[in-house]
Amino acid sequence: MSVTDDAIEAIKQMIVSGELSPGDRLPREPDLAERLGLSRNSLREAVRALSLIHVLDVRRGDGTYVTSLEPSLLMDAMSFVVDFHRDDTVLQILEARRVIEPATTEMAARKMSAADLAELGGLLDSLGDSPTVDELVENDLEFHRRIAAGSGNAVLASLVESLSGRTQRARTWRGLTQEGVVERTLGEHRAILQALTMRQPGIAAALATVHIAGVEQWLREVLIDRG
């Protein structure tokens, strides 16, 4: 378990135990970090992650609050933090992506127009050098959607879009908890785009396989760590 996961679990336990209730403000960051025995950076990452799934509400200049959701909804949101890791369905979806997307990428290398490839490059450029995790994931979803559409097969494109969207939370969590994943993803996307632009179907398919397998391998390791 990463230090960020430790921090998330600590905050979760404060809410589950009733020490923090919906609408309550979290203690000051230095005080809470010292109390939990965590670095301020780990605590900050945990707060950011929990705010993405609407467990916490970060109000600039005011503090961080537990969301005022109904208790059952709050617990459903928090359960995502751990429980999605245990869902074999997510792993099966990633396995399916690893089978389907290299084939669609190979087809796209033959069929995508120069204009569509230029727009795909513009999509990557729009992120800049230091995107946030949620910006990266949104861009990632669109990147794969456009490549699938570029295959010229509407059925495959629909399958890819459906499967890719169902792994969005897992990809977000990976971005928050695995070091260097933003830079790695950007580099892999650039390599895939280059293979598409140079009309190298086999290379494009191989790069897509490695790219998707990276998420799958991360999830397998998480499942092993969590037993």
Side-chain angles (χ1 to χ4, degrees):
M1 182 180 289
S2 72
V3 290
T4 301
D5 282 337
D6 288 339
I8 289 165
E9 183 63 24
I11 295 172
K12 176 182 173 181
Q13 287 305 316
M14 292 176 71
I15 299 173
V16 171
S17 69
E19 182 178 351
L20 287 174
S21 300
D24 284 354
R25 180 177 176 175
L26 263 66
R28 292 174 58 251
E29 183 182 277
D31 296 337
L32 185 58
E34 181 178 2
R35 174 184 161 187
L36 298 177
L38 299 165
S39 72
R40 293 178 66 175
N41 185 61
S42 296
L43 180 60
R44 197 172 298 122
E45 286 298 311
V47 167
R48 187 160 70 97
L50 290 170
S51 69
L52 280 175
I53 57 172
H54 310 298
V55 172
L56 297 179
D57 179 19
V58 180
R59 304 175 189 174
R60 190 176 299 276
D62 185 22
T64 300
Y65 293 80
V66 179
T67 55
S68 55
L69 295 171
E70 291 296 322
S72 60
L73 296 178
L74 181 62
M75 292 306 299
D76 284 343
M78 286 192 301
S79 68
F80 145 72
V81 174
V82 174
D83 290 346
F84 94 88
H85 290 308
R86 300 173 181 157
D87 186 356
D88 289 340
T89 301
V90 178
L91 191 56
Q92 290 171 9
I93 290 171
L94 288 167
E95 290 173 341
R97 286 188 62 203
R98 179 165 47 82
V99 172
I100 295 171
E101 288 201 45
T104 59
T105 305
E106 182 175 352
M107 294 167 69
R110 296 190 176 97
K111 296 183 179 181
M112 279 188 83
S113 69
D116 286 343
L117 288 168
E119 290 182 2
L120 193 62
L123 176 70
L124 296 184
D125 290 340
S126 69
L127 273 178
D129 296 328
S130 301
T132 63
V133 171
D134 45 333
E135 287 171 344
L136 176 69
V137 171
E138 287 296 329
N139 193 277
D140 182 50
L141 290 168
E142 180 64 12
F143 179 77
H144 289 280
R145 188 196 68 78
R146 292 192 189 187
I147 291 174
S151 71
N153 186 308
V155 174
L156 283 175
S158 179
L159 281 172
V160 168
E161 185 168 3
S162 175
L163 292 172
S164 185
R166 292 177 66 186
T167 63
Q168 181 174 359
R169 293 196 305 180
R171 287 142 86 179
T172 298
W173 202 249
R174 181 191 181 212
L176 289 167
T177 60
Q178 187 177 38
E179 185 177 355
V181 72
V182 173
E183 295 78 8
R184 187 181 309 120
T185 300
L186 291 172
E188 290 172 356
H189 281 181
R190 287 290 180 190
I192 291 170
L193 175 60
Q194 182 177 22
L196 292 172
T197 303
M198 296 182 69
R199 306 297 181 185
Q200 297 173 313
I203 293 176
L207 290 169
T209 300
V210 171
H211 177 56
I212 296 165
V215 185
E216 182 185 345
Q217 181 59 31
W218 164 79
L219 182 54
R220 289 185 187 279
E221 291 171 357
V222 168
L223 286 167
I224 292 171
D225 288 345
R226 292 182 183 273

